[in-house]
Amino acid sequence: MFEKTVYKSFLSNSFTIPVKVTFWDGKSVVYGNGEPTVELIFKKPIRIKDIYNNASLALGEAYMDGKIDIKGSIEDLITSAYENASSFMQSNKFRKFIPKQSHTKTKSIADVQNHYDIGNDFYKIWLDRSMTYSCAYFKNPEDTLETAQQNKVDHILKKLNLSPGQQLLDIGCGWGNLLFTAVKNYQVRATGITLSQEQYDYVMQTAKEKGLSESVTVYLMDYRDLKDMAFDRITSVGMFEHVGKENLQAYFQQVHYLLKDDGAALIHGISRQQGGATNAWINKYIFPGGYIPGVAELVHHMTVENLQLVDLESLRRHYQKTLEMWHANFINNLDEIRKTKDERFIRMWDLYLQACAASFKASNIDVIQYLLVKKSSNQLPMTRGYLYT
């Protein structure tokens, strides 16, 4: 009885929408006014100590293990919890445990491969054909995922104002779509680096198939080990979230080191306008070593390294829509996914995709493109008009 009373206490002030909560004894309570569209079902009790230690980790694991079920939209439920400042998703009293992180070169390899090397065939099922695993850019509401992902790559490359013959570096090149587009559409020479063996193999093979092997180079290496090279343009998409809080300065120092004096860099990544943060469940199960930096924190590191911020653009709502489309693809292909993944994995990824969409929807996190040049560089156009011609 005491345990149930504590549950009711923290759940009663956690949502901004009406939510039906059904407990392990079959009894239900509705929190909020109106007809609930989401039901949170506790099949088994979760230790109160674990919830107060870190609610995100305890509840996430409980969902993965089937101790919790959710009828209705997980995205709506978590969005509601993020929008309530005193909920278990926001209050520090539910985050006593914060995981320690390490970002040595050896640990970084293990962390990246833990997420990205779980099988290209798995990612092919729910990503678009270009295998682009980052925020898309919806120029029109009716854009398909594939169109929006190509829009994003084009948007990045336009911002860089590329010229034929230039040298482009992509730090954290993923499955290579940006490299291939840059070479094909702008006649540059492109270099990518990744720590993912499967991504490296895919880029090498695809470059060969496209006849681009002489123009595309890819290295399986840590960004910190790239030396004695200089590039006209640098891109890095969804990368700095993996380097760790303690390495952000070194990351931008490396960008400065590798960028020519008249060059430009487009850094695209998840940021928080409210300041940096980690999530214990995401850190343990999805992105080991992940850290979402604050916007002010990032700008500080950029300017310390004499990188000048000339343009900043938020794509927060675009990432919400991207994740919703990934999730729809994921759910529509569960039969195929079940051939190689068990139910715990499927529940984990279902929660991950919807929770991230909710986090963007509620403005808990943002995704921002930072356009940078070196100090005193005046090579880019003075207005943004060149992006839309």
Side-chain angles (χ1 to χ4, degrees), residues 243-280:
V243 307
K245 181 179 178 67
E246 74 277 16
N247 289 326
L248 284 170
Q249 192 68 60
Y251 170 82
F252 286 106
Q253 185 177 63
Q254 184 72 339
V255 170
H256 185 276
Y257 166 75
L258 295 169
L259 189 64
K260 292 182 180 179
D261 288 344
D262 59 352
L266 192 288
I267 311 299
H268 166 127
I270 301 173
S271 318
R272 287 188 84 244
Q273 298 201 26
Q274 306 93 324
T278 59
N279 178 283

Side-chain angles (χ1 to χ4, degrees), residues 119-364:
N120 285 346
D121 288 343
F122 168 68
Y123 286 105
K124 285 178 182 177
I125 292 172
W126 53 274
L127 294 178
D128 70 292
R129 287 192 300 174
S130 72
M131 294 286 283
T132 304
Y133 187 28
S134 54
C135 176
Y137 184 63
F138 295 88
K139 294 171 69 174
N140 301 293
E142 65 275 10
D143 283 344
T144 65
L145 178 60
E146 185 170 351
T147 296
Q149 289 292 13
Q150 194 59 51
N151 290 344
K152 184 268 302 298
V153 170
D154 293 339
H155 194 51
I156 288 172
L157 297 177
K158 276 192 172 184
K159 283 187 177 183
L160 289 171
N161 202 35
L162 290 163
S163 298
Q166 288 184 325
Q167 298 278 350
L168 169 72
L169 170 68
D170 190 16
I171 303 174
C173 64
W175 285 278
N177 187 41
L178 188 147
L179 299 173
F180 303 138
T181 302
V183 168
K184 179 180 177 182
N185 293 350
Y186 293 92
Q187 295 77 54
V188 300
R189 296 185 64 83
T191 300
I193 56 174
T194 179
L195 287 176
S196 165
Q197 182 69 55
E198 294 206 22
Q199 289 180 343
Y200 170 82
D201 293 342
Y202 183 92
V203 174
M204 291 285 287
Q205 181 62 32
T206 305
K208 183 178 179 180
E209 292 172 356
K210 290 178 177 287
L212 300 176
S213 295
E214 291 188 4
S215 300
V216 174
T217 303
V218 61
Y219 297 112
L220 184 65
M221 67 185 302
D222 193 288
Y223 71 98
R224 290 166 283 194
D225 291 333
L226 194 60
K227 304 293 182 184
D228 302 322
M229 299 180 74
F231 298 88
D232 302 285
R233 299 291 187 265
I234 295 175
T235 55
S236 187
V237 180
M239 167 61 187
F240 63 60
E241 303 95 310
H242 296 288
V243 307
K245 181 179 178 67
E246 74 277 16
N247 289 326
L248 284 170
Q249 192 68 60
Y251 170 82
F252 286 106
Q253 185 177 63
Q254 184 72 339
V255 170
H256 185 276
Y257 166 75
L258 295 169
L259 189 64
K260 292 182 180 179
D261 288 344
D262 59 352
L266 192 288
I267 311 299
H268 166 127
I270 301 173
S271 318
R272 287 188 84 244
Q273 298 201 26
Q274 306 93 324
T278 59
N279 178 283
W281 183 79
I282 292 281
N283 188 267
K284 183 174 181 179
Y285 290 101
I286 305 297
F287 289 114
Y291 171 72
I292 305 301
V295 173
E297 179 183 13
L298 286 167
V299 173
H300 168 75
H301 289 308
M302 294 168 188
T303 54
V304 165
E305 294 304 325
N306 285 321
L307 291 166
Q308 299 284 305
L309 179 61
V310 296
D311 191 85
L312 181 153
E313 182 178 10
S314 168
L315 301 181
R316 176 180 65 83
R317 295 176 65 192
H318 293 264
Y319 216 161
Q320 175 196 341
K321 185 167 183 176
T322 303
L323 281 152
E324 289 169 348
M325 295 179 84
W326 284 342
H327 179 254
N329 289 346
F330 184 85
I331 294 301
N332 290 337
N333 290 281
L334 283 180
D335 288 345
E336 187 67 23
I337 293 170
R338 284 193 173 104
K339 292 178 182 178
T340 57
K341 307 299 180 185
D342 63 23
E343 287 303 311
R344 192 171 191 263
F345 178 94
I346 288 169
R347 289 174 73 91
M348 177 178 75
W349 274 76
D350 182 22
L351 178 60
Y352 155 60
L353 293 170
Q354 291 199 67
C356 287
S359 200
F360 284 108
K361 185 176 182 179
S363 298
N364 178 60

